Amino acid sequence: MKSSTYKKLLLLAGMCYFLQGCKDEINLPSQDESIYDQIYMPQAVNGPVSKTLVMKEEEQSLIYGANVGGRGYPKSDIKVSFYLDADKLAAYNTANQTTLELPPAGSVVLSANDATIRKGALATEPLKLRIKTNGNNALKLFKNYLVPISISSDYKINANLQTTYYLLRSEPDISQYPDYDRSGWTVIGFSSQESSGEGPNNGRAIFAFDNNVNTFWHSQWTGNGAVLPHYITVDMGSVKMVHGCNFIQRQASGADGKANLMEIHYSKDNITWQKAADIQLQALQSLQKIWLPEFVEARYLKFVIVTNHSKEFSNMAEIGAF
């Protein structure tokens, strides 16, 4: 028993000696910790803030503000100013290969241009970016805007988080635009269809309008096969105001044959045609509802698949309009 106790004491003494030796070898360089004391916009931490707003009568808002990071709490008040940094627009578009614009004057307003991080606090009070989506001086529907909000201060600023980029877009409430009944629709044209290779209840163009997601239209692949572009033309039976179109890709895994870039054309008389939109679909099996950039009156619609996500042939489970 005494021997065991003696061994434990020796082990403990050895550990103390080892730890003491390690401690003596540590030699941290002196540094000015105040260099870490900087203010920043917390909304900028995760990159651009992207928001699609539903058009409403009432004003809508997003939050902005400033925080201070570093050691401890500020020992005095920190004054911060906020402003729409229009000079950042061109650089952002160049870096991201976009063509975004600033919002119309008066459509986006800062609730306050100045705020204070109080002594002993770490942030300003939350401020509101007030946004109009309806009426005069409002965001235009379906248009993408960039709103760069930057901070300035006598206090040191984290340059990487000095600006928050808000990407804004306004759309109508899609729940107010139900899908049109397609029971009276007629397929009046198509580039090709697979009449035999997909069985009796698949392949033909009519199966893109039968309210059954498990059936589908398929461009011809037997024989020589058809090549892109592929299209279907329908007669809706009467002139309607078309606000957008919806699509359900074939219910098969993978991207083969799933539409990517599409054109939507419209006509009232099946003689004079105009393009309504260039759209892009994802290689998904779920419903995709796409707004037209401008609402159009039409009786006839032509859906042209320009490119696919994979393969030369195309297929589609359901096509509709609202």
Side-chain angles (χ1 to χ4, degrees), residues 24-255:
D24 290 343
E25 293 176 3
I26 295 176
N27 184 22
L28 293 175
S30 60
Q31 55 181 316
D32 182 6
E33 295 183 6
S34 67
I35 63 174
Y36 300 108
D37 296 342
Q38 301 178 8
I39 61 172
Y40 64 96
M41 294 191 74
Q43 294 77 22
V45 170
N46 295 317
V49 178
S50 182
K51 183 68 174 178
T52 297
L53 302 162
V54 175
M55 184 178 66
K56 295 180 179 179
E57 292 290 341
E58 60 269 25
E59 182 182 87
Q60 301 179 63
S61 64
L62 295 173
I63 297 299
Y64 69 95
N67 287 14
V68 62
R71 56 191 182 93
Y73 293 83
K75 297 180 180 180
S76 60
D77 290 351
I78 302 173
K79 294 183 178 181
V80 185
S81 295
F82 302 86
Y83 60 98
L84 176 63
D85 196 348
D87 292 340
K88 296 287 179 68
L89 176 66
Y92 183 95
N93 279 332
T94 299
N96 294 277
Q97 298 182 336
T98 53
T99 57
L100 300 171
E101 298 178 11
L102 295 174
S107 61
V108 179
V109 178
L110 281 67
S111 63
N113 293 102
D114 299 291
T116 301
I117 301 175
R118 297 297 180 187
K119 173 183 176 181
L122 296 176
T124 64
E125 63 180 17
L127 305 172
K128 290 184 177 182
L129 197 65
R130 294 173 175 163
I131 307 164
K132 292 183 63 177
T133 57
N134 197 20
N136 296 327
N137 301 321
L139 301 182
K140 294 182 179 179
L141 288 174
F142 312 121
K143 191 172 181 63
N144 298 314
Y145 296 102
L146 179 69
V147 184
I149 302 299
S150 294
I151 56 174
S152 62
S153 177
D154 291 335
Y155 202 83
K156 186 173 182 179
I157 297 174
N158 183 331
N160 293 325
L161 300 174
Q162 185 175 6
T163 303
T164 300
Y165 295 95
Y166 294 90
L167 303 177
L168 302 182
R169 176 182 172 90
S170 176
E171 296 182 356
D173 183 353
I174 203 164
S175 66
Q176 302 299 314
Y177 297 82
D179 295 343
Y180 285 124
D181 179 9
R182 297 176 298 161
S183 60
W185 289 23
T186 305
V187 176
I188 61 171
F190 48 82
S191 54
S192 73
Q193 62 180 8
E194 184 49 54
S195 301
S196 59
E198 297 292 344
N201 296 314
N202 264 323
R204 288 178 287 154
I206 59 173
F207 291 115
F209 305 92
D210 64 352
N211 293 310
N212 184 349
V213 298
N214 295 311
T215 63
F216 54 87
W217 160 67
H218 200 298
S219 62
Q220 182 183 343
W221 56 265
T222 56
N224 293 329
V227 297
L228 290 162
H230 304 294
Y231 71 84
I232 294 180
T233 305
V234 294
D235 177 0
M236 297 187 290
S238 62
V239 173
K240 307 178 187 301
M241 180 64 74
V242 180
H243 309 93
C245 297
N246 48 60
F247 305 87
I248 301 179
Q249 306 261 34
R250 182 181 176 181
Q251 301 298 285
S253 60

